[in-house]
Amino acid sequence: MISKNHGISSVILLLCCHFLQADEIVIIDQLPVDLVNPVSLALGDQAFALREMNEKRLQLWKLSDNGSPELTAELTEVVPGSGATVQMVGAYANNWWLAGLEWDYFATGKASLIHISQLKADNSRVNISFEAPAALSNSSISFTRWHYAPAQDRLFGLFGLPGAESVFLLSCMQALQLAAGNCNITALTSGDFLALDDGFVLWDRGHTNSGFSWYQFDQEAENGLREQHYQLEPSRISHWPGADRLQVQVSSVDNGQIHHSNYDLQLNGPARGALISRKLPGVYPSQRCHYLSSYRALCQSGSSMVFVNITNGSLTPALFDYMGEAADVPWGEIVAVQGDNTVVKLGTEQLTVYRLPLPQLSVVSFPSGFDLTYGDTAMLRLTDMLADIDLSNVDIRVIWDSPHQTLPTTILTELAYGVFQFDTSKAISRYSPTGQVLIDIHDSNWQSTVSLPLSIANINEAPTALSAVIDTEPLEIGERYELALNDVFTDPDGDGLTFSSTALPAGFVLQSPLITAAPQTPGAFSFTVTAIDPYGLTASLLVRGTVKEKSSGGTMQGYWLLGLLLLWRRFKG
């Protein structure tokens, strides 16, 4: 900018710079969408489909190399002239597959044909059709993903409406070279659907005693499917692509408290089909996830975003919630993710591409919990669990289960950077407490709390006596005395004690936890008192002394010492 002032020319350079913060969301692009009330379908492989709510116009989109969405095709029916609305879409390696139903509205009011179309990477097209099952209900409003399994070159997905008695599995083999006769449709019991690498799971959260079923593709089995049914009533099921197990969570309510039981269903190996209990939950919202790598995913749960970082060994996820300003995050459904942090969302009449900073840490491994015992030297090392993170962004808390909530929670002492030692002293372990170690992880604008079970089992110890033998000062006939045994014995576990004794002198009576004495006969005496804890461990004490005639002068002291340790309480007669 050049300005003149009183004949003097000067050049003023105005620099206006905005320095991006590491955790700042940046809008990269916004593209208009000319569909009426579109619904989205994320397909993986950086592809997605949009369809108008009125079930007609469909758009197929792919992400370019720079992450910007590009419209690949637009159509209104599966096969031109069929009138079949697109209800299922699949995508892989620049191939698209579409499926839908043609209806005989006037004669039977039912589906007459299933139409399938493949849009190939070379822009050629293959169309096939075959007769639809008579029981297939009008599900044209459904819009679902047709999953492609590369290892089997198979497409599979469900026709049908949620809540219907039956759904129909549409499966096509040799999908990259689609041909008539390679596709079939099978009726199944309705339920929630989760695709696996070589099969799927169906379960119905709306009905009790229905359990869940794991289906595997098997050409030798009836209908090409092998079913294995389990009686567990899952509340959530998830599966990480390529993993050798399925995570299952079962929830129950007891006295107003929600309890979760967690299981692994082994999908491969010698234990294939076994349902094995696990301590830590493995579930996450896998049905709406975009996988960024073999251990990272960005998922959507309702209107919230969840970043998942999973361990390779135990498949225990750390679930991160976005804690930044909600107004900074573009509204809508995540339809695709490219690279490490480029997100595409469908909002109101537009696609928004933005850069979303994601957590950069790595989860090394989480222990299944801390099962400790009194006196253990037990450590918690954060570097065994987490990598690529400043440990000052990690906080550790302990919470106890309800019976132990009065116990101190500061039972971890930091010995070195990121290394903590548990307090397993008797002061804590005597209650055999159970609880949780909560690890709060902060990474950019994301936060996760990992909960690890904690228990510290007590080792019962025997009661102790103040001394093995105590010699008392003389007691007098005609006086009354009382000995509190809880002053003589202690229990390191805080347990209540019971007491027994050998034959007591005349006038001595054990009324646990007291011994009362009204001496009657002069002379020496001795007896043994034994303290017993609830587990049968004991401690004993020998009490010795003499009884003498009542003194003629003065008033006796209120207490007599037993070896300077033990008090007899005296009552005047």
Side-chain angles (χ1 to χ4, degrees), residues 88 114 130 136 146 154-160 167-172 183-188 193 200 202 215 217 223-225:
M88 298 175 67
I114 296 175
F130 56 93
L136 187 55
W146 210 359
R154 179 192 297 271
L155 285 165
F156 61 99
L158 292 185
F159 274 122
V167 291
F168 289 83
L169 175 75
L170 179 59
S171 174
C172 293
C183 299
N184 61 72
I185 189 162
T186 306
L188 299 171
F193 176 84
F200 58 94
L202 276 177
Y215 292 90
F217 295 110
N223 296 323
L225 287 173

Side-chain angles (χ1 to χ4, degrees), residues 358-371:
L358 296 174
Q360 297 302 304
L361 86 163
S362 301
V363 176
V364 179
S365 178
F366 289 123
S368 60
F370 301 95
D371 295 319

Side-chain angles (χ1 to χ4, degrees), residues 36 92 106 141 172 182 300 315 438 440 463 520 524:
V36 178
Y92 178 76
F106 302 103
I141 62 172
C172 293
N182 289 343
Q300 200 158 10
L315 295 182
L438 302 181
D440 298 320
Q520 300 174 6

Side-chain angles (χ1 to χ4, degrees), residues 293-354:
S293 69
S294 60
Y295 62 94
R296 292 156 54 89
L298 181 62
C299 309
Q300 200 158 10
S301 178
S303 59
S304 302
M305 292 185 298
V306 178
F307 178 81
V308 183
N309 198 314
I310 201 162
T311 62
N312 290 328
S314 64
L315 295 182
T316 299
L319 306 180
F320 287 82
D321 295 315
Y322 184 74
M323 306 303 292
E325 291 292 335
D328 294 341
V329 181
W331 179 87
E333 294 283 327
I334 300 175
V335 293
V337 178
Q338 186 184 58
D340 195 45
N341 58 3
T342 302
V343 179
V344 181
K345 274 188 176 179
L346 172 65
T348 303
E349 298 182 345
Q350 69 178 13
L351 291 167
T352 300
V353 184
Y354 65 97

Side-chain angles (χ1 to χ4, degrees), residues 527-551:
F527 57 88
T528 299
V529 179
T530 300
I532 310 164
D533 77 3
Y535 303 95
L537 299 184
T538 63
S540 296
L541 169 72
L542 177 65
V543 179
R544 298 185 302 201
T546 60
V547 175
K548 66 179 184 178
E549 297 290 347
K550 186 178 177 77
S551 174

